[in-house]
Amino acid sequence: MTVLGEFVLPRGRAVWTSTLVEVLGTFGVEEKSARQALARTAAEGWLVSERVGRRVRWSLTPPGRRLLTEGAERIYGFGRDAENWDGRWLMLLVSVPETKRDLRHTLRTRLTWAGFGSPTPGVWISADTGRQDEADEIVRTLGLDREAMSFVASYGRIGDEDAMVAQAWDLTALDERYGGFIDEFGALEPVSGGEVLHAQTRLVHEWRRFPFLDPRLPVRLLPPNWSGVKAAELFHRKHVEWRPAAQRHWEFLTGEEEAA
């Protein structure tokens, strides 16, 4: 999905199986596994295949384009601007019986992706009150809107706000992951077109995890010297720096296709 979003989506053109298999091969994905991944992605409705003679090429479906476009907006926009916080929290109360484990998992996954944390079972919080529409859509889609309740309020005098944050999100582990990202890409200097394409894809692939992991908390709620700031600066700088050469190499790989 990273390769499709970074190189196929911007062009809106079909790409040969051989090109995708070759690129995935540079990441250690065997041909059989690459072909299985394509078939699986098509079965999920994100790709459609077209046979041209003895060859097959793949195009993004409209749902696939929407999925990758929304993902790109979140990935490339993530970590750019730190907004001022008015101190208000969005609180969502919604619980799912233990017997409905799949539904509980889906709710947790989608709310976590939306930046919510859970300091105690059945309670979800976000420092971004603008997420209320997204939360509403999630609970409605999952059929939980009748049981759910939401509030927008400031933290009171009882308890400790920092302790609540620590219960809702594991910021220590996240800080370490950001540090690992900085260590991996900070000193990386690819030279050839193939190396740049490989580095760019890895950069985006690793960065795309952070919007799911990082709730984008206000600075005053974060630990001192938060590594997420440096990691975001690194990602956006490297992405801009590497993008032209990576895109040129992709064009080189698909040269036969373009000529056709």
Side-chain angles (χ1 to χ4, degrees):
M1 295 303 285
T2 302
V3 170
L4 293 176
E6 189 70 9
F7 301 105
V8 179
L9 176 65
R11 290 169 172 76
R13 295 192 292 265
V15 59
W16 297 111
T17 301
S18 57
T19 300
L20 293 169
V21 168
E22 179 182 348
V23 171
L24 291 175
T26 65
F27 297 94
V29 180
E30 296 182 355
E31 180 177 348
K32 180 180 178 181
S33 297
R35 292 179 180 275
Q36 289 175 339
L38 285 169
R40 189 164 55 248
T41 305
E44 292 172 351
W46 312 131
L47 284 175
V48 63
S49 63
E50 175 190 10
R51 183 168 291 278
V52 181
R54 299 180 62 183
R55 305 178 68 192
V56 175
R57 58 186 181 184
W58 301 83
S59 301
L60 291 168
T61 62
R65 292 189 65 83
R66 286 196 298 271
L67 176 74
L68 291 175
T69 298
E70 291 171 1
E73 291 172 354
R74 179 160 291 191
I75 292 166
Y76 303 138
F78 182 74
R80 281 197 179 279
D81 300 311
E83 299 180 0
N84 293 326
W85 186 49
D86 61 5
R88 297 190 303 161
W89 290 93
L90 169 61
M91 177 183 292
L92 176 68
L93 304 182
V94 56
S95 59
V96 180
E98 178 65 29
T99 54
K100 299 181 179 180
R101 293 186 178 181
D102 289 346
L103 182 59
R104 284 166 62 99
H105 174 74
T106 302
L107 177 67
R108 175 173 291 277
T109 299
R110 295 194 60 182
L111 286 176
T112 300
W113 172 252
F116 285 80
S118 180
T120 189
V123 178
W124 293 86
I125 58 174
S126 171
D128 184 354
T129 57
R131 293 288 188 189
Q132 189 156 195
D133 287 344
E134 188 171 359
D136 183 45
E137 181 183 357
I138 291 171
V139 295
R140 286 182 181 278
T141 300
L142 298 179
L144 298 169
D145 49 305
R146 290 188 177 183
E147 296 83 6
M149 295 177 282
S150 66
F151 302 87
V152 174
S154 301
Y155 195 88
R157 292 181 296 170
I158 301 173
D160 182 80
E161 192 171 38
D162 289 338
M164 179 186 72
V165 170
Q167 288 177 302
W169 295 281
D170 189 348
L171 296 181
T172 299
L174 180 58
D175 190 59
E176 292 175 352
R177 291 198 65 155
Y178 273 130
F181 180 87
I182 294 168
D183 291 341
E184 182 174 0
F185 295 101
L188 189 60
E189 297 293 342
V191 178
S192 68
E195 290 175 348
V196 177
L197 185 147
H198 189 274
Q200 179 83 326
T201 305
R202 283 180 48 220
L203 179 80
V204 175
H205 189 69
E206 291 303 318
W207 185 251
R208 69 184 296 166
R209 305 174 194 273
F210 287 110
F212 182 81
L213 299 170
D214 190 337
R216 291 294 307 281
L217 293 174
V219 175
R220 81 183 207 199
L221 297 175
L222 294 170
N225 301 316
W226 178 243
S227 60
V229 175
K230 183 178 179 180
E233 293 173 349
L234 174 65
F235 169 77
H236 292 294
R237 176 167 52 83
K238 291 289 188 181
H239 189 264
V240 170
E241 177 184 332
W242 292 342
R243 190 176 191 278
Q247 295 293 329
R248 283 196 301 270
H249 191 70
W250 178 265
E251 293 286 357
F252 169 76
L253 292 175
T254 58
E256 180 181 347
E257 172 187 338
E258 303 298 339

